[in-house]
Each structure stands twice: as C-alpha cells, then as structure tokens.
Amino acid sequence: MQNARPKQFVAVLDFGAQYGQLIARRVRDMHVYSEIVPCDISAADLAAMSPSAIILSGGPASVYAQDAPDMDGAIFDLDIPILGFCYGEQIMAVKLGGEVAHTDKGEYGPSMLTRLGSSVLLDGTPNGGQTVWMSHRDSVSKAPEGFMVTARTENCPVAAMECPRKRFFATQFHPEVRHTEHGHRMLKNFLFDVCHLEPSWTMEGIIEEKVSAIRTEVGDHKVILALSGGVDSAVTAALVHRAIGDQLTCVFINHGMLRKGEPELVESVFREQFKMPLVHVHAEQRYAKLLDGVSDPEKKRRIIGTQFWKEFFAVAQKLDGVSYLAQGTIYPDIIESGARKTGGKAAKIKSHHNLIPFPVGVHFDLIEPLDHFFKDEVRELGVALGLPDKMVYRQPFPGPGLAIRIIGSVTPEKLTILKDADAIVREELDAYNQALFEKTGERNSEHTCWQYFAVLPDIRSVGVMGDERTYQRPIIVRAVESSDAMTADWAKLPYEVLARLSARIVDEVEGVNRVVYDVTSKPPATIEWE
C-alpha cells in the first residue's frame, strides 16, 4: 500500500542522528506531517516528493571524514526552506562556502546560549542566556556568505546562523530535545512563521484519508489480518474494518503465551464490540510441544514466528477470495528492521515478526496503513477509532509473548507463575499511572512508568514462609520511564508501591518466595529480558 502524503509535509534528511526519529516526532506533535528520508537522496528525487520544508538532522561523523554522510548540494537550490541541526548545520556551512573546524574542547550536554541580535529562528526566546543541548566537537568556524551569526556559546562561536532571504537556518545545538528549553518555540518559528504551514495533520483527517485509500486499493476484494491483540494489529484491524467492513477477516493465533486475560479481551472487543469476522485458533498444545526443552531466546523466537505463520496460512488458504494481507507495521519497525523504506542501514537487532514467509504458491498483496506512524500516534488513532483504553494503552509486548520473559525453557508451571505475577504488576502499576494521570492530566508525565512487566528467571532461592523453609522461584519486576524505547531509565517507584507489589506477588502467586527490582537503564541493558 502506497503511503499517501498530505499536501504539506516536512522531509527530515537523516545523517545517522541519535535523534532522527525524535525530530520527525516533534514536527508531528505540532500537527504537521513529517517523514524521514535518506541523506543521500538526490535533489531531483526529493523535489519529486514536493516537501514544504527540509530539516537536516544531526549525526555522529565529522564532515571532513572520508566516509562522512554527504548530501546533494543541489538541494539548496530547490527554493525550499531548510533547517539544520548539529551535523546538519555543519554540512550546510560546508556546502554553501563556510568552514567547519575541529575544536580542542567539545560540548556535550547542557550549554548556555547567548543571542547575538535579532533572529527569525530565535524570535520569542530570551535575549539573555538560555539552556540548549549540545553534542559535538566539530563546529562551524565561519558562516557562509549571506548568513548572520545569531547565537553563540562559550565554546561555539556559531551556535546558530541564518539567511532569511534564502530561508536557511541552522543551529549547532538540538532544538528537538526537551533539554533545549525553548526548542519548541524555535521549531514553531520555522514551521509556521518561515514556512507558513498549517497545523492540519489531525487524527480525524488521517482516518478519513486512510479509509479512502484502503477502499480505493482493495475494491471488492477480501483482506485477512493476523490479529495479536497488540496495539498495532488492533488499530490496523479497526481502521481496515472501518474502510471495508466484513471484507476483512481477522485471525487470532493463541500460542498460549499471552498475558492473563488477553485472549478474552480480544474476543470481547473484536467479536462482540466491532462484530468483525474473527477466527480464534487454539494452538497452545502445538506450541508447548515445539518449545519443550528450548532455552535459547533466539531459537524460541524462530520457533514461535515460524509456527505462527504456519498456523495463519493454514487458515488463510481455507478462505476464498482473499487478495490482501493487512498488518500493523509501524514506522520504527521499518527503520529498525533495515530501513527498507527510508534507505538507512539499521543493524539487525533481533528477528523481526513483520517479515512474512509466504508459503510456496501463496501470495497476498500487503496493506500496511500504519507504516508511517509512531507508536504514540497509533494509540491516538486507536482512541479515535473507538478501541477501549485497556487495549490502546496496553503495555508493549513482544511477539513471542511470555516465552522470552521466561529465562530458560518454557513449561506449563512457569507460564502459570509468570501470568499470575505479571497480572499483579500490571494491575498495581496501571493504578499508579492512573493516579498520576488524574493528578497531572498527562498520560506521560515525568514519573509515569512507560513499560512494566514481570520476568521469571531460571533459578530458585531459599526462603521462609510460615515455619517452613522454601526453595522456590523469584520474580524480577522491570519498570522503565521512556518516550520511545530508544533509551530508557528505570522507574523511581515509591517504596510503598514496591512493597505492595512484593507482598502481593509472594502472597498470591504459588511457587514464588522472592521479588527483586531491576534498576538498570537502557543502555547498557535492554528493556526486555531474554
């Protein structure tokens, strides 16, 4: 399915930035559509996309390095407003005749910015000092001809520069991160005062556009969808059903490693609330046999993924007239699994469940209506489509389910223990997050837990319960604060919340005598345990 861009959109040229996705998200937060494109796109190809504005991201390289990311200098001749951050400022300077120097002292983290006279980009920000976020050693030493230097820091003489006549603007710091206290205003100045864009990218308009595009592409053909109960597949199902109704059939493969109550929720929402055609495949026993004795996490992933598609296509081949397969691929999936649509070179971190192994002689055309949306935007779509909050704000959950939160082999006993413990973790921290939401009015306030779950390690420990010595299993609780899962910090939960979690798990879950709390950030750890 082709992505239908709105008439106005911002192209973010990605130079390998740590914050590349964040730039696109910040623009979308202002209700302007943005899209990440490879930095080496030609001027002709970029012009064919008709962007309303261009943002040049940061990047880890030096502009003078032999293998440094480059860009087509003709892009500066397209008469399109351009804003560069960090490496984006440096490459703008070099391409337009300025100079970049390697300094003896870099700047990393918060720096004090001083404005130097009037500035279109910095308009409305303090004339005195303001905090910005730096991450560089190289910096522009001489601005190109026609540019004004509009700000500096102690170690960076050209911290911001601009050429309003050509509508070129650049900063050495990162306006897109929250640590730049007036970064939001700078982006607003560029998008609305320089580019004269309209904040028209809203959920209602998006649904209308997507529904129309799906109807046009599908026509009177039938569509099948692998429904996991997760946010992405659920929103895809609701959106496609809004477009074509009973032409869509959802197939729910129950591998037995879902969280407590989730199969029942899927049945309730899709069969009863939305009245969708739903095939519920009970494959629990087949999966249990395949996973018996398997402890390696990557082997678990492969077994579960391979069997999933076998189960799915066994159903698909019994349905007549199916021409399309809909799935809930979202924008980070594309970027992280090799950037197949952005031109990037992302490393493979783990097996990806969105790569489809069609059986010999079987093929469906793909519909991926969410493939240019970030997770928070998918949740907004879900709310607008009428999905219940319990599903829309469901905790992120890996495709292989609890199998990879059980360290070691998967057994019925371990599954029961982890399901019961995880249900308590979710119940208590759902309540904790809800209390914060009612207090602050924000779903993602400073102290909100972004993701939380229980892990069952492959060990036992000694304990005392009553007058008896026990030798039972511990439960690890993982709770993190994050906005996008790219980085995360462990959640600073109040002691009373941790105490209640521990007491409930030990009291209510048979076979557990100890609870521990993971206090490791990402990096160096990952969010998940495997």
Side-chain angles (χ1 to χ4, degrees):
M1 181 178 181
Q2 297 296 316
N3 177 52
R5 294 186 189 91
K7 291 182 180 179
Q8 58 173 31
F9 90 97
V10 176
V12 178
L13 268 63
D14 184 10
F15 292 92
Q18 177 185 3
Y19 304 120
Q21 292 186 44
L22 188 57
I23 296 170
R25 289 168 60 103
R26 292 289 175 259
V27 173
R28 295 182 185 202
D29 286 345
M30 298 183 188
H31 301 293
V32 175
Y33 179 71
S34 62
E35 192 172 315
I36 298 172
V37 298
C39 63
D40 57 359
I41 189 172
S42 70
D45 286 345
L46 185 59
M49 296 171 70
S50 300
S52 309
I54 298 167
I55 295 179
L56 311 178
S57 82
S62 165
V63 290
Y64 294 129
Q66 186 174 357
D67 58 350
D70 200 4
M71 66 177 289
D72 186 345
I75 288 173
F76 291 101
D77 298 323
L78 295 178
D79 193 28
I80 297 172
I82 300 177
L83 173 61
F85 303 151
C86 193
Y87 187 93
E89 181 190 53
Q90 295 168 23
I91 200 164
M92 181 186 291
V94 169
K95 292 293 183 181
L96 297 176
E99 297 177 5
V100 172
H102 185 74
T103 58
D104 293 331
K105 186 177 181 181
E107 285 181 296
Y108 301 95
S111 294
M112 189 57 63
L113 185 80
T114 301
R115 284 184 55 177
L116 304 173
S118 63
S119 166
V120 174
L121 187 66
L122 304 177
D123 184 53
T125 70
N127 287 316
Q130 54 180 293
T131 301
V132 297
W133 190 259
M134 289 283 197
S135 182
H136 73 99
R137 183 168 291 277
D138 291 359
S139 64
V140 176
S141 56
K142 179 184 175 182
E145 185 177 349
F147 277 73
M148 301 181 296
V149 177
T150 56
R152 66 179 306 277
T153 66
E154 182 180 354
N155 296 309
C156 184
V158 188
M161 64 181 192
E162 58 187 63
C163 180
R165 181 177 63 84
K166 292 186 176 181
R167 298 183 294 174
F168 295 161
F169 303 84
T171 69
Q172 183 57 59
F173 56 89
H174 292 271
E176 72 273 25
V177 303
R178 301 295 189 194
H179 305 290
T180 296
E181 57 181 331
H182 298 286
H184 183 273
R185 178 59 188 262
M186 298 171 200
L187 281 170
K188 184 178 178 183
N189 288 343
F190 177 69
L191 295 175
F192 304 124
D193 295 340
V194 173
C195 305
H196 304 293
L197 302 181
E198 296 291 334
S200 57
W201 198 63
T202 62
M203 286 301 122
E204 293 74 15
I206 290 166
I207 290 172
E208 186 176 333
E209 288 177 6
K210 289 294 181 183
V211 164
S212 176
I214 293 167
R215 285 174 178 165
T216 298
E217 179 161 0
V218 171
D220 59 359
H221 294 283
K222 293 181 180 179
V223 180
I224 192 169
L225 181 145
L227 182 66
S228 70
V231 179
D232 304 334
S233 68
V235 173
T236 301
L239 184 59
V240 175
H241 187 259
R242 172 77 65 92
I244 61 172
D246 287 354
Q247 289 171 244
L248 170 69
T249 297
C250 293
V251 180
F252 175 49
I253 309 296
N254 187 347
H255 50 40
M257 287 158 286
L258 297 169
R259 292 172 289 199
K260 195 171 186 177
E262 287 189 328
E264 294 80 6
L265 179 62
V266 169
E267 286 272 358
S268 171
V269 171
F270 294 100
R271 197 188 298 280
E272 298 173 20
Q273 178 184 337
F274 282 93
K275 311 297 183 186
M276 291 186 195
L278 174 67
V279 179
H280 186 160
V281 179
H282 286 279
E284 298 97 315
Q285 294 304 315
R286 290 189 288 277
Y287 273 98
K289 185 176 180 180
L290 287 168
L291 290 168
D292 185 28
V294 178
S295 58
D296 179 79
E298 189 62 18
K299 286 183 179 179
K300 291 180 191 177
R301 284 183 176 275
R302 284 199 299 269
I303 289 169
I304 292 167
T306 300
Q307 185 64 22
F308 176 89
W309 289 114
K310 286 181 179 179
E311 299 282 351
F312 177 78
F313 283 115
V315 175
Q317 289 174 279
K318 294 177 183 177
L319 300 175
D320 293 329
V322 176
S323 301
Y324 290 90
L325 170 63
Q327 65 170 9
T329 305
I330 66 173
Y331 208 13
D333 291 336
I334 291 173
I335 296 167
E336 291 165 11
S337 60
R340 59 186 168 87
K341 294 187 180 179
T342 65
K345 297 182 173 118
K348 177 183 171 184
I349 306 302
K350 56 192 175 187
S351 301
H352 204 284
H353 66 278
N354 281 332
L355 302 178
I356 303 168
F358 287 111
V360 176
V362 176
H363 178 77
F364 301 121
D365 289 330
L366 280 182
I367 296 177
E368 296 176 307
L370 308 181
D371 67 350
H372 277 71
F373 293 90
F374 291 104
K375 179 71 79 173
D376 54 344
E377 296 166 339
V378 173
R379 295 187 197 280
E380 288 184 57
L381 274 173
V383 171
L385 287 164
L387 288 168
D389 282 359
K390 191 172 184 180
M391 183 165 280
V392 170
Y393 294 104
R394 171 187 188 260
Q395 282 290 294
F397 195 52
L402 296 178
I404 61 169
R405 291 179 181 172
I406 293 174
I407 310 304
S409 61
V410 179
T411 67
E413 176 206 11
K414 290 179 180 179
L415 272 171
T416 298
I417 290 173
L418 186 55
K419 284 183 180 183
D420 289 344
D422 186 76
I424 292 170
V425 172
R426 287 186 290 127
E427 182 180 326
E428 289 293 335
L429 295 188
D430 282 352
Y432 170 72
N433 271 352
Q434 183 61 28
L436 285 176
F437 172 62
E438 292 172 359
K439 182 178 180 181
T440 65
E442 298 180 16
R443 284 270 177 209
N444 295 300
S445 64
E446 182 181 356
H447 302 293
T448 303
C449 289
W450 188 79
Q451 186 173 355
Y452 37 92
F453 54 89
V455 176
L456 184 65
D458 196 21
I459 59 173
R460 295 176 186 266
S461 66
V462 173
V464 178
M465 302 179 82
D467 295 324
E468 296 182 359
R469 175 187 171 95
T470 63
Y471 188 57
Q472 296 180 336
R473 300 186 182 278
I475 285 290
I476 298 166
V477 175
R478 180 68 158 153
V480 299
E481 299 167 357
S482 180
S483 60
D484 52 21
M486 296 174 69
T487 61
D489 195 11
W490 60 280
K492 312 306 187 291
L493 295 174
Y495 289 146
E496 59 268 24
V497 174
L498 290 172
R500 188 164 58 248
L501 270 177
S502 177
R504 282 198 61 193
I505 291 172
V506 172
D507 290 349
E508 299 175 29
V509 181
E510 187 175 350
V512 174
N513 65 357
R514 188 183 300 269
V515 176
V516 299
Y517 188 47
D518 182 346
V519 292
T520 318
S521 63
K522 175 188 177 181
T526 57
I527 294 177
E528 286 289 348
W529 280 63
E530 293 199 28

